[in-house]
Amino acid sequence: MKFAVIVFPGSNCDIDMYHAVKDELGEEVEYVWHDTDNLDEFDGILLPGGFSYGDYLRTGAIARFSKVMKEVIKAAEAGKPVMGVCNGFQILLEAGLLPGAMRRNESLS
């Protein structure tokens, strides 16, 4: 399999994700910048954690407008595996690929 690790401005776990796929799984992997408009060559799409567009509630609301997200949605609809970790999970929520929404804690205790 060939994986794409999507890199957004502020991502910081993309290197870890890349090496997990390459070194631990032994699979082919490439970094893909968020303004890419074609993911057809990839069999799986990975959205790393980190601080894409800052570390705030709903940061994925900004990232979901990146050009690559149309391709991520297309890949998911084609049945390709798509995984988001941490902030990547938030991006998938905001893009409508996962049900639900992020909410603030009612209390911090």
Side-chain angles (χ1 to χ4, degrees):
M1 289 187 77
K2 184 175 182 180
F3 291 89
V5 174
I6 308 300
V7 180
F8 293 93
S11 294
N12 71 1
C13 296
D14 45 350
I15 295 170
D16 297 337
M17 188 172 274
Y18 177 96
H19 285 288
V21 172
K22 182 179 179 199
D23 300 336
E24 299 303 320
L25 299 178
E27 298 292 341
E28 191 175 353
V29 61
E30 287 183 24
Y31 295 114
V32 177
W33 191 238
H34 70 101
D35 65 353
T36 299
D37 62 1
N38 189 317
L39 296 175
D40 291 344
E41 68 181 285
F42 299 100
D43 303 305
I45 313 301
L46 306 172
L47 283 75
F51 303 102
S52 59
Y53 297 100
D55 188 25
Y56 310 99
L57 186 65
R58 296 199 64 215
T59 55
I62 297 170
R64 76 177 179 101
F65 291 109
S66 291
K67 187 186 282 189
V68 76
M69 289 310 296
K70 289 180 184 176
E71 289 296 304
V72 171
I73 292 167
K74 180 177 145 186
E77 289 173 346
K80 292 183 180 182
V82 175
M83 181 178 78
V85 175
C86 190
N87 195 264
F89 176 83
Q90 292 181 39
I91 296 166
L92 295 177
L93 277 174
E94 293 289 347
L97 288 171
L98 298 171
M102 300 294 286
R103 293 182 43 190
R104 290 192 184 278
N105 292 332
E106 290 184 17
S107 72
L108 296 178
S109 55

